[in-house]
């Protein structure tokens, strides 16, 4: 008998607890199911500019936004290609898999990358960053790149502290922030924090399908763009500014804008600050469960720096000798619960619970209870009662 015949498909709706892509609310799904429209038609322009205003409210910026038909990687590349000339220096704050991937992309594009190294469980030391900047007397560092919320480790890097390190060193470098898994989930203030390029994507906190990404761009970044010499065309901000919609070369993904319009309506209806508070509440409940499970040499929080816990994703380190991917397979095959896996060198070592976007108490409690059940049936050691510990933080 084949394995598939022996293992019946789990019943019930796929329970999706990944940190991205995230669950899409039904009203957004329905909004994206829109008939085709001409993106040059005035009735679409109205939707488009309203979305731009809404995105600016979420980014907390009055500056520019450029959009791309492509996932977050596209906006990463747009950010770099528009700002740098070959051989210029990007200083990356190491945080985990995503900071490494962005750095690798920069290297491939011909940018010289320097790194402020960091323990992935604790995050970068701001004093080390400030020392690196202060030592760069002739200002060869063109920009500092930081992943605001490192999705691979469940750690948030406080951007005001990065800003303070730049200002403290009196360094004029641009500040580039990847907000892909923080925007619309965690507090982010592009203009107040002096972020020059904010990279965002559709499929995480904005609760949309994958396929659109964008960069918030400061006036200072636009000046840097004017002299940047890295090759680019589709991502070229100057080409975009000549288009009627001041963005997008080529076809505009109109369905995603109908979805974005609904996403922004949902965010406005709840209130951005209430959105953040909900993420904080559900993240605390998640961490309480994991901290409880750890009691019996069980799984533990990967992030060991409480000031930097991420409120949109929690990475859970498996006990020695227990494979996280085998555990995730049990959760998926027996209970239809999809969890995030370990990325890069963390593959098999940890699993990740996404708690961002369209999420409420029943969803996170369902996830936590099912994780506890999957630990039980997998024979992974843990201290029972994590769900009660989560409940104690709620209500
Ligand atoms: C998901 C993610 C990315 C990559 O975005 P894609 O949309 O998958 O290309 C980059 N950075 C962070 C922090 C992410 O969470």
């Amino acid at each position: 008998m084949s394995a598939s015949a022996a293992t019946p498909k789990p019943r019930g709706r796929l329970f999706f607890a990944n940190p991205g892509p995230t669950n899409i609310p039904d009203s957004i799904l329905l909004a994206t199911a829109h008939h085709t429209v001409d993106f040059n038609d005035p009735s679409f322009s109205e939707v488009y500019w309203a979305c731009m205003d809404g995105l600016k409210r979420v980014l907390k910026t009055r500056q520019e936004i450029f959009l791309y038909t492509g996932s977050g990687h596209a906006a990463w590349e747009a950010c770099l290609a528009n700002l740098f000339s070959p051989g210029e220096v990007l200083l990356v704050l190491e945080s985990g898999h995503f900071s490494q991937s962005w750095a690798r992309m920069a290297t491939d594009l011909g940018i010289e990358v320097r790194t402020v190294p960091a323990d992935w469980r604790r995050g970068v030391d701001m004093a080390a960053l400030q020392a690196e900047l202060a030592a760069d007397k002739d200002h060869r560092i063109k920009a500092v790149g930081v992943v605001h919320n490192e999705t691979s480790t469940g750690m948030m890097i406080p951007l005001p502290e990065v800003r303070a390190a730049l200002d403290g060193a009196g360094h004029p470098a641009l500040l580039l922030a990847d907000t892909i898994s923080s925007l619309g989930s965690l507090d982010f203030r592009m203009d107040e924090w002096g972020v020059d390029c904010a990279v965002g994507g559709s499929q995480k906190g904005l609760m949309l399908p994958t396929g659109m990404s964008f960069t918030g761009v400061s006036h200072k970044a636009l000046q840097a763009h004017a002299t940047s010499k890295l090759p680019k065309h589709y991502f070229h901000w100057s080409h975009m500014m000549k288009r009627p919609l001041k963005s997008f070369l080529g076809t505009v993904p109109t369905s995603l804008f109908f979805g974005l319009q609904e996403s922004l309506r949902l965010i406005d209806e709840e209130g951005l600050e209430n959105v953040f508070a909900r993420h904080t509440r559900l993240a605390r409940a998640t961490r309480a469960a994991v901290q409880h499970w750890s009691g019996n040499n069980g799984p533990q929080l990967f992030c060991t720096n409480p000031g930097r816990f991420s409120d949109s994703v929690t990475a859970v380190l498996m006990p020695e000798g227990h494979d996280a991917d085998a555990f995730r397979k049990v959760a998926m095959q027996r209970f239809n619960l999809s969890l995030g896996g370990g990325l890069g060198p963390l593959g098999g070592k940890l699993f990740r619970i996404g708690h961002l976007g369209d999420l409420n108490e029943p969803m996170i409690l369902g996830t936590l209870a099912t994780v506890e059940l999957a630990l039980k049936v997998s024979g992974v050691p843990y201290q029972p009662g994590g769900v009660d510990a989560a409940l104690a933080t709620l209500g």
Side-chain angles (χ1 to χ4, degrees), residues 142-357:
K142 171 108 178 198
V144 172
V146 49
V147 176
H148 181 207
N149 188 71
E150 177 54 74
T151 324
S152 69
T153 62
M155 183 165 54
M156 187 271 302
I157 305 291
L159 290 172
E161 292 181 21
V162 179
R163 179 76 264 164
L166 277 156
D167 295 346
H171 201 291
L174 298 163
L175 175 53
L176 320 179
D178 171 341
T179 70
I180 295 177
S181 65
S182 55
L183 196 70
S185 305
L186 315 181
D187 191 15
F188 177 75
R189 309 176 193 185
M190 176 169 157
D191 291 357
E192 187 182 324
W193 295 346
V195 173
D196 293 296
C197 190
V199 176
S202 57
Q203 82 275 23
K204 296 189 183 174
L206 294 177
M207 309 169 285
L208 291 163
T210 310
M212 189 161 72
S213 55
F214 49 88
T215 45
V217 176
S218 75
H219 301 314
K220 182 175 164 185
L222 275 185
Q223 282 169 8
H225 162 70
T227 57
S228 84
K229 294 196 174 54
L230 278 187
K232 52 192 162 285
H233 180 86
Y234 177 70
F235 293 131
H236 206 306
W237 294 339
S238 302
H239 295 346
M240 289 185 178
M241 279 185 280
K242 292 181 197 128
R243 309 265 301 169
L245 298 179
K246 312 275 182 222
S247 208
F248 287 112
L249 300 188
T251 304
V252 177
T254 51
S255 312
L256 284 170
F257 277 88
F258 292 111
L260 178 57
Q261 187 179 37
E262 174 60 9
S263 159
L264 293 165
R265 192 191 68 75
L266 292 176
I267 291 171
D268 281 344
E269 182 181 79
E270 186 176 358
L272 199 49
E273 305 311 312
N274 294 329
V275 171
F276 300 153
R278 175 167 54 81
H279 281 80
T280 300
R281 194 168 71 239
L282 299 174
R284 253 194 226 127
T286 306
R287 291 194 290 268
V290 180
Q291 275 161 336
H292 189 91
W293 292 328
S294 73
N296 190 20
N297 292 322
Q300 51 178 285
L301 292 174
F302 183 77
C303 179
T304 55
N305 190 344
R308 294 183 177 177
F309 285 148
S310 162
D311 284 346
S312 64
V313 53
T314 296
V316 185
L317 183 64
M318 290 294 270
E320 270 307 314
H322 293 273
D323 182 66
D325 291 335
F327 167 74
R328 287 171 59 232
K329 208 163 158 184
V330 169
M332 186 66 214
Q333 292 187 344
R334 294 228 5 212
F335 307 119
N336 219 7
L337 170 68
S338 175
L339 297 163
L343 298 174
L346 300 175
K349 294 192 164 48
L350 59 76
F351 66 91
R352 295 173 301 139
I353 299 171
H355 32 83
L356 73 164

Side-chain angles (χ1 to χ4, degrees), residues 84 87-94 99 103 106-107 111-117 129 131-133 135-145 171:
F84 283 85
E88 287 184 333
V89 178
L90 170 68
L91 180 65
V92 172
L93 305 195
E94 184 177 0
S99 75
T107 303
I111 295 166
E112 184 188 324
V113 174
R114 291 185 205 163
T115 302
V116 185
L129 166 63
E132 182 84 27
L133 290 167
D136 182 40
K137 297 259 185 281
D138 51 355
H139 295 164
R140 282 209 60 224
I141 296 167
K142 171 108 178 198
V144 172
H171 201 291

